[in-house]
Amino acid sequence: MAARQESVTVARAASRSPGRSLLPDRWLPYGMIGPAVFVAFAIAIVPLCYAFWLSLQDWYMLRQPLPKWGGLVNYRALLQDTQLWASFGRTWIWTLGTVFVELLLAMPIALLLNRETGIARTASALILLPWVTPFIVLGFGWRFLLDSDVGPIHSFLHLIGIAGDSSVLNDPVLAFATIIFISGWKGTPFLVIALLAALKSIPDELYEAAEVDGAGAWSRFWHVTVPSIQNTVVTVGLVLGILAFYSFDLPWIMTKGGPQDATTLVGIAMYKAVFLDLRPAYAAAISIVMLVLLFIASMFALRARRID
């Protein structure tokens, strides 16, 4: 009898124990996402707040070793800096050009790889090589290929009359166009993989119905494929555009912003403001303006996507 009462007591205690957790049920979701929110706050919000605080300081390291309050002095100087706004213009051209090259290369490649063959599967894996290659390796590799003395690509460009005796990287117009193409070439694999996933999710019945209605290959592509993958194109294109907007390493490795500042992007202007001009507060103000402009552009892109 005593053993039976003891087992009943243990069973009741066990039935009540789930309700007596360390964290009430209503707070459990917040506890689960708490660590992720903390990490995001530590690596994103805190540096952003510091950058905004630093942009309000007057800190020229050759004049004073520590920052002092300057208010909007950096933003006023920024508005009057014509070279900086020229670099902003080049950065927008760079961003749009990079995304355009990525779309131009990725679409036909994705359509060719959207086949159930061994070659297509192998090529789908190998195509990621440019994406995973570090910028330092890629930049010096392309500098060698475009070298006026030993570069094979320079020899071909010289043969067809595009390049002269010197490298295209020494020409302001050709240098900018060249590194835009290289930037788009590097980002193409990421977009190819995204487009492949979107293409494989399109039901075959849609193509079969369009073919029954008499639609040709181009009509099926324009009226079936494009509407089915446009959300992927906009989303991934926006991500790649943001990455391109913050570019620094590729143009710096290949041209260091030259010749004649033809490839000086905002990222390079920020680098020079910190390490050459010794004005970290001014560079912080540039970064805040970059963030605001990119946020506005992203909102316009997302709004256009919803309207469409």
Side-chain angles (χ1 to χ4, degrees), residues 149-233:
D149 295 325
V150 296
I153 293 183
H154 171 79
S155 300
F156 174 74
L157 295 177
H158 181 71
L159 182 65
I160 62 178
I162 295 179
D165 294 332
S166 62
S167 172
V168 293
L169 298 179
N170 295 327
D171 183 272
V173 177
L174 293 178
F176 193 41
T178 300
I179 62 173
I180 285 177
F181 174 80
I182 296 172
S183 175
W185 170 79
K186 177 174 172 55
T188 295
F190 184 83
L191 185 55
V192 168
I193 298 302
L195 290 177
L196 265 178
L199 289 171
K200 292 183 181 299
S201 66
I202 302 175
D204 293 334
E205 291 79 5
L206 294 178
Y207 291 107
E208 294 171 359
E211 190 172 1
V212 169
D213 291 338
W218 172 254
S219 182
R220 291 196 300 271
F221 170 77
W222 190 253
H223 296 287
V224 177
T225 304
V226 171
S228 300
I229 66 174
Q230 67 176 3
N231 286 337
T232 300
V233 170

Side-chain angles (χ1 to χ4, degrees), residues 231-306:
N231 286 337
T232 300
V233 170
V234 172
T235 303
V236 180
L238 184 61
V239 172
L240 291 172
I242 292 172
L243 293 176
F245 190 79
Y246 284 111
S247 293
F248 163 77
D249 32 22
L250 181 62
W252 180 257
I253 292 168
M254 297 197 67
T255 61
K256 287 185 169 51
Q260 303 173 17
D261 288 335
T263 60
T264 298
L265 307 181
V266 180
I268 294 179
M270 288 176 56
Y271 174 86
K272 290 181 177 179
V274 176
F275 295 102
L276 299 182
D277 299 337
L278 301 179
R279 300 171 65 191
Y282 185 65
I286 297 174
S287 69
I288 296 298
V289 173
M290 285 180 67
L291 179 63
V292 172
L293 292 177
L294 190 59
F295 176 79
I296 294 173
S298 302
M299 290 300 102
F300 273 113
L302 293 176
R303 182 177 177 83
R305 172 189 169 187
R306 295 193 199 100

